[in-house]
Amino acid sequence: MLNHPKRLAGTAIAAASLLLAAACGGGAAAPADIDLGSGPAQSGVVKKDALKGVNLTFVSYGGVYQKGQQDAAVDPFAKESGAQVLQDGPTDYAKIKAQVDSANVTWDVVDTDSIWAAAQCGKLLQPLDYKIIDKSKVPDGLATECSVPAMQYGMVLAYNKDKFGANPPQGWADFFDTAKFPGKRGIPGNPGDSAPGPFEAALVADGVAADKLYPLDVARATKKLDTVRGDLVFWKTGAESQQLLESGEVDMLMMWSGRAYAGIKNGGKFDVQWNQWMPIMDSLTVPKNAKNPKAAMAMINYYLGAQQQAKLTELTSYSPINTDAKPKLDELGTSFLTTRPEVADKRLTVDDKWWAENQPQMIEKWSAWLGG
């Protein structure tokens, strides 16, 4: 598993590159009518040469993540469908807005943050066509009106197993219990950014029931966070969190599962407590007024196939979305799949819709607490 795609600094694609000129000609406008065949949609399948002559642009965050998407799904889709697929990136919300506002949308399928996607449904993003996209293999509740998950990982509690292995922390209450579990704790602490994680963990540790977390009681959460402020070490990037784990500078970490996996694989003496982990995902979206919406839906449908999702996991270690996907991983990689039933059942439910409606205020409050 790798860093969160949005934190892949320096991996922006400098220039768009043409992936596959499967169709002859190029530059042609989308056909007025695209024949995707008859019968119900099946994820991972597109009619042979159905998009011959159609140009599409796929946008994501670059680096190993986008290369994995390209190899696992986008290139095979282009070859099978006949579409010409241009890669671009990194995802830039200002660029999407500029395209939609100017009625000149050049991006067709865009990998975005799921909270942003929820906030922009019907505004900058258009509803998906589930007659073309088969979401039957996507876990319940993850596909929305305007987005489907692109992959999944999580915010987890990692702990020093040399120090706590005989009596490991059982959840976020123990993360905040410095008497029972003494030592430094690492948490995300980026002024100007706020996302699910610290507030939810603090509230659960303070006794709030998992199904009563929202709307978040920020005052209560920050009061709980105050109790461990002197023991906190703040990380701003995934690389920093991984470094904290590998160096043993802290004894517990709230961190992305991909970075925990990478740090442990590099020799970090840590383990993960999966109780109360918080799922995170990227989403595939289609901007409003995209020129080839039907073709874009076909690409998303293909991307969700079990074979494509398995390969994406093998290339990036992000967990697959298709419940039938069976990636071939080593024992450690398998142990970090958030889709394993024994892990999936331990997650806290994160309300992306609530975050989408309240993130600006949360950023303001989180930044104020960090500065306090």
Side-chain angles (χ1 to χ4, degrees):
M1 293 189 179
L2 306 167
N3 200 353
H4 188 287
K6 291 158 195 60
R7 274 73 173 177
L8 290 168
T11 57
I13 296 176
S17 59
L18 191 63
L19 284 179
L20 185 62
C24 299
D33 186 31
I34 299 171
D35 179 11
L36 293 174
S38 58
Q42 181 180 350
S43 61
V45 175
V46 65
K47 182 182 176 182
K48 180 71 174 175
D49 292 333
L51 303 179
K52 197 169 184 177
V54 175
N55 297 320
L56 289 170
T57 300
F58 178 80
V59 180
S60 189
Y61 292 95
V64 174
Y65 176 52
Q66 188 165 352
K67 184 63 166 63
Q69 293 176 301
Q70 174 184 334
D71 291 347
V74 179
D75 276 359
F77 170 79
K79 184 176 182 180
E80 186 69 18
S81 70
Q84 294 188 77
V85 182
L86 193 70
Q87 293 267 340
D88 203 356
T91 298
D92 185 324
Y93 302 144
K95 287 184 178 178
I96 296 174
K97 186 175 189 311
Q99 290 182 22
V100 173
D101 288 348
S102 66
N104 183 26
V105 178
T106 59
W107 288 355
D108 297 286
V109 176
V110 186
D111 188 304
T112 74
D113 175 85
S114 60
I115 293 174
W116 184 87
Q120 296 302 323
C121 187
K123 299 175 184 174
L124 298 180
L125 301 175
Q126 63 177 284
L128 301 182
D129 186 347
Y130 287 111
K131 293 179 182 176
I132 298 175
I133 299 171
D134 170 20
K135 62 176 180 177
S136 63
K137 299 299 180 182
V138 176
D140 289 343
L142 298 188
T144 73
E145 183 180 4
C146 292
S147 68
V148 297
M151 51 74 173
Q152 192 181 66
Y153 57 112
M155 185 71 86
V156 297
L157 192 171
Y159 62 91
N160 185 327
K161 63 181 181 182
D162 284 350
K163 187 170 183 177
F164 301 129
N167 179 32
Q170 296 300 310
W172 296 116
D174 289 342
F175 187 86
F176 282 82
D177 189 345
T178 54
K180 186 177 179 182
F181 297 93
K184 292 291 186 181
R185 278 89 163 120
I187 68 170
N190 216 353
D193 188 17
S194 183
F199 289 132
E200 285 87 347
L203 290 170
V204 168
D206 203 42
V208 177
D211 61 350
K212 304 293 184 185
L213 277 173
Y214 299 94
L216 294 178
D217 185 338
V218 176
R220 183 172 176 176
T222 53
K223 186 177 179 180
K224 186 66 177 179
L225 285 161
D226 283 339
T227 65
V228 294
R229 185 189 282 269
D231 296 298
L232 294 179
V233 175
F234 298 101
W235 55 263
K236 294 182 174 60
T237 67
E240 287 183 4
S241 70
Q242 184 178 333
Q243 180 58 35
L244 289 173
L245 185 152
E246 292 183 22
S247 68
E249 185 178 339
V250 297
D251 296 301
M252 291 191 197
L253 273 165
M254 178 189 295
M255 64 190 304
W256 298 316
S257 57
R259 282 296 180 177
Y261 166 79
I264 293 171
K265 193 170 186 177
N266 286 344
K269 306 299 184 185
F270 275 64
D271 208 341
V272 165
Q273 172 55 263
W274 287 96
N275 288 336
Q276 301 172 337
W277 70 278
M278 291 172 249
I280 305 171
M281 62 185 184
D282 269 21
S283 294
L284 296 182
T285 63
V286 179
K288 201 172 183 179
N289 299 324
K291 292 184 173 63
N292 296 297
K294 194 171 182 180
M297 306 295 168
M299 177 188 284
I300 291 174
N301 181 60
Y302 189 88
Y303 182 103
L304 294 178
Q307 182 178 341
Q308 292 84 343
Q309 288 290 300
K311 186 172 182 179
L312 178 62
T313 296
E314 292 164 5
L315 294 172
T316 69
S317 290
Y318 287 116
S319 294
I321 289 303
N322 189 307
T323 54
D324 287 345
K326 300 185 185 308
K328 297 176 182 176
L329 302 171
D330 60 18
E331 184 177 352
L332 180 62
T334 301
S335 73
F336 273 82
L337 290 178
T338 58
T339 47
R340 290 179 298 138
E342 62 270 33
V343 169
D345 291 346
K346 295 178 179 178
R347 69 184 184 276
L348 289 177
T349 299
V350 173
D351 191 337
D352 280 358
K353 185 174 184 296
W354 185 90
W355 269 96
E357 294 170 351
N358 295 277
Q359 195 168 36
Q361 302 94 298
M362 298 303 290
I363 290 173
E364 183 178 336
K365 293 176 180 178
W366 180 237
S367 299
W369 184 81
L370 288 174

